[in-house]
Amino acid sequence: PDQSVLLARFSRPVLLIAGSNDELIPMESLQKQAKTLQKGTLSVLQDTGHMGMLEATDKSAREVAKFAISCQF
């Protein structure tokens, strides 16, 4: 479900990872939700479906690592 209201109020960094071939969550929905984020990043994994963390483990891990570094944890 669309979480735009919740995401708009959340002030911490958020990473959304999407698959370019996801048939369950429309890209337009994710892009809309990403625009509501105060500190957000939308990363789209090319040639990946809904389960990018299983389908593209290396790509997913790189995106998470890059995000964590950008947040300076």
Side-chain angles (χ1 to χ4, degrees):
D2 187 307
Q3 298 295 327
S4 296
V5 173
L6 173 68
L7 293 172
R9 295 188 319 218
F10 194 71
S11 63
R12 300 278 189 181
V14 175
L15 172 63
L16 300 175
I17 298 179
S20 65
N21 299 337
D22 190 336
E23 296 181 3
L24 296 175
I25 302 176
M27 186 60 62
E28 297 80 28
S29 175
L30 288 171
Q31 290 169 332
K32 176 188 169 202
Q33 292 181 69
K35 286 179 184 177
T36 68
L37 294 167
Q38 296 176 36
K39 299 176 185 175
T41 302
L42 172 60
S43 176
V44 179
L45 303 178
Q46 296 303 312
D47 303 316
T48 304
H50 185 69
M51 301 292 286
M53 66 287 218
L54 300 177
E55 298 172 42
T57 54
D58 290 342
K59 289 180 188 176
S60 296
R62 278 194 297 274
E63 291 303 311
V64 171
K66 185 169 55 173
F67 177 73
I69 289 168
S70 75
C71 293
Q72 299 180 11
F73 287 112

